[in-house]
Amino acid sequence: MSGCVCVVCGKPATLPRSAGVCAHCDDPFAVLEVLFDLGRVRKSMTRSALAARPPNHWRYAELLPLDPDERAFAWPVGWTPVLDAPRLADWTGVGRLRLKDDGRNPTGSFKDRASSVGVARAMQLGDARIACASTGNAASSCAGFAAMAGIGATIFVPQRAPKPKIAQLLIFGADVRRVRGSYAQAYDLCSRSCDEHDWHNRNCAINPYLVEGKKTCGLEIAEQCATALPDWVVVSVGDGCTIAGVAKGLMEMHELGFIERVPRVLGVQAMGVDPIAIAFETGQLPANRTAATMADSIDVPVPRNWHKALQRVRACDGAFVRVDDEAIAQAMRATGARAGVFAEPAAAAAVAGVKQAVAQGILDPKADVLAVITGNGLKDVDSAIAVAGEPNEVEP
Ligand SMILES: *Cc1c(COP(=O)(O)O)cnc(C)c1O
């Protein structure tokens, strides 16, 4: 790491221990971005060096905010498969569609990329407890890695977090606090508790190191698709950390010479819970809205990382679309039946977004597209059953 800057004013900041925002801006969303000395990275992270490294996201050690750590680096995170899905391409109306199935991470979601880095940092700093607030996946992921590392986890979840995600937390032995309120309220309580008790704060938006973990998805796409780079990479968007991370990874691989161009990035938000899409169009975050979506993982009315998300999407000439719950339900069924991938609602939203972007003329019918499946369908069984219906009962 060569330093860190504020995403709003651009002034250098000192690298925080875990979470931190800019000391100069009075914008609560003035989050920090970690910088790397890519000149130095280029010397050791060569194509041939990478070829000899293990198939997990620790292969990008030079681009992670960690000291190499043998214990953490044995956790099997990332390097999830990229699957060609021709029948789903037909359904969405694009020329080629690949799915990167991040539901196959150890705790079943993309969040493992960030949590593994957060917990490894907590371990290296000697912190005894890590905390986070989450709509579900970041929570279960944080608890899972804390269990692997042998440190404590205190997790704040909103009232409506799906039961399977809560079950995962409890099985991983976390101290779970279900907050009688919204995600925003769970988030505030977590931040205050971290300050008061000196816990390691895993909240992705204001812990700049976590986005560096999310970045590894972009690094992997660049390596896995180097010979046939997609035109577009599609990601669903809640807080905005995932899309910012994926885009950062693609851009760093471009700067390092691994890929010749940066794919454009398409962000998908839920209809009515679309503050980042609105900010993309107007430059301003809208006032609090009250809509909700079945896709709990992207049900984020106050996104903490909107500056980073917008900067990255603009830098790669990307776009945003919105999809409603009916479109998400159709995409869950199509992704399962036409590609054999069981996606939770927020993950299927990316596939629904591909179809929507074709309808709006953003994607060309010949476009070569990669959609990131950010979470496994077993994460939210109730939604899956609501969408797919009941089985036929027959006599034995
Ligand atoms: C967290 C999450 C997202 C969105 O990531 P943000 O960083 O909040 O934008 C998308 N899909 C799933 C399954 C998630 O858990």
Side-chain angles (χ1 to χ4, degrees):
M1 281 183 282
S2 57
C4 141
V5 294
C6 166
V7 294
V8 174
C9 70
K11 287 196 186 123
T14 43
L15 285 164
R17 208 179 134 76
S18 59
V21 290
C22 179
H24 307 289
C25 291
D26 68 0
D27 178 342
F29 303 111
V31 296
L32 306 174
E33 174 122 295
V34 177
L35 305 175
F36 288 82
D37 179 351
L38 294 184
R40 258 181 80 191
V41 172
R42 196 174 283 120
K43 290 192 188 119
S44 60
M45 208 184 91
T46 59
R47 233 175 258 280
S48 58
L50 280 184
R53 295 188 189 175
N56 59 47
H57 84 161
W58 308 114
R59 63 201 275 107
Y60 308 109
E62 288 93 335
L63 290 174
L64 292 173
L66 293 167
D67 299 323
D69 183 300
E70 278 174 27
R71 267 184 66 206
F73 282 33
W75 298 336
V77 191
W79 204 253
T80 51
V82 174
L83 312 158
D84 233 311
R87 294 200 303 130
L88 194 59
D90 289 347
W91 184 80
T92 53
V94 292
R96 184 179 188 191
L97 179 61
R98 281 171 280 182
L99 304 178
K100 184 161 171 65
D101 188 4
D102 256 57
R104 300 198 201 188
N105 273 303
T107 77
S109 84
F110 183 101
K111 296 293 194 292
D112 286 350
R113 296 180 182 277
S115 293
S116 56
V117 167
V119 171
R121 272 193 65 86
M123 254 167 68
Q124 290 185 348
L125 293 167
D127 292 342
R129 182 162 292 273
I130 189 164
C132 87
S134 157
T135 57
N137 283 333
S140 48
S141 169
C142 184
F145 285 96
M148 289 186 223
I151 66 177
T154 296
I155 312 288
F156 299 85
V157 293
Q159 188 95 51
R160 52 186 300 268
K163 269 204 163 150
K165 297 182 184 181
I166 307 242
Q168 260 187 314
L169 286 175
L170 296 167
I171 287 288
F172 289 142
D175 167 18
V176 183
R177 309 294 171 102
R178 180 158 54 197
V179 180
R180 293 194 190 110
S182 65
Y183 169 56
Q185 289 169 315
Y187 183 96
D188 287 340
L189 183 59
C190 177
S191 298
R192 279 164 46 204
S193 305
C194 284
D195 289 345
E196 196 170 317
H197 302 290
D198 237 1
W199 293 336
H200 195 98
N201 186 341
R202 181 244 176 261
N203 284 330
C204 203
I206 62 160
N207 180 328
Y209 305 110
L210 274 289
V211 174
E212 302 306 310
K214 293 195 165 187
K215 169 178 93 176
T216 61
C217 183
L219 303 175
E220 289 176 15
I221 292 169
E223 224 193 323
Q224 292 173 307
C225 303
T227 56
L229 210 57
D231 303 321
W232 288 84
V233 171
V234 186
V235 183
S236 62
V237 176
D239 257 326
C241 312
T242 300
I243 196 165
V246 169
K248 185 176 190 191
L250 291 167
M251 287 176 196
E252 286 183 351
M253 288 302 257
H254 179 243
E255 269 190 67
L256 291 168
F258 281 89
I259 49 176
E260 266 155 19
R261 60 181 169 84
V262 178
R264 298 167 76 182
V265 174
L266 177 71
V268 182
Q269 291 221 278
M271 196 72 73
V273 197
D274 53 353
I276 300 187
I278 290 175
F280 183 71
E281 288 150 8
T282 65
Q284 293 290 325
L285 210 57
N288 236 340
R289 317 186 75 206
T290 50
T293 166
M294 144 174 89
D296 66 289
S297 301
I298 53 168
D299 192 359
V300 183
V302 187
R304 311 277 161 173
N305 224 318
W306 68 283
H307 286 302
K308 244 184 221 184
L310 284 200
Q311 285 170 4
R312 293 286 174 185
V313 172
R314 291 209 167 107
C316 64
D317 196 19
F320 280 90
V321 291
R322 301 152 169 97
V323 293
D324 63 21
D325 277 5
E326 178 49 33
I328 292 172
Q330 287 173 7
M332 282 176 74
R333 290 191 292 260
T335 305
R338 290 172 170 261
V341 172
F342 187 11
E344 70 163 86
V351 175
V354 174
K355 197 174 171 102
Q356 179 62 31
V358 173
Q360 288 180 223
I362 295 169
L363 289 185
D364 186 272
K366 290 199 209 74
D368 183 332
V369 179
L370 183 147
V372 182
I373 300 298
T374 42
N376 188 290
L378 291 171
K379 290 281 201 164
D380 185 0
V381 177
D382 288 343
S383 288
I385 289 175
V387 159
E390 297 286 336
N392 296 318
E393 292 212 10
V394 294
E395 295 304 325

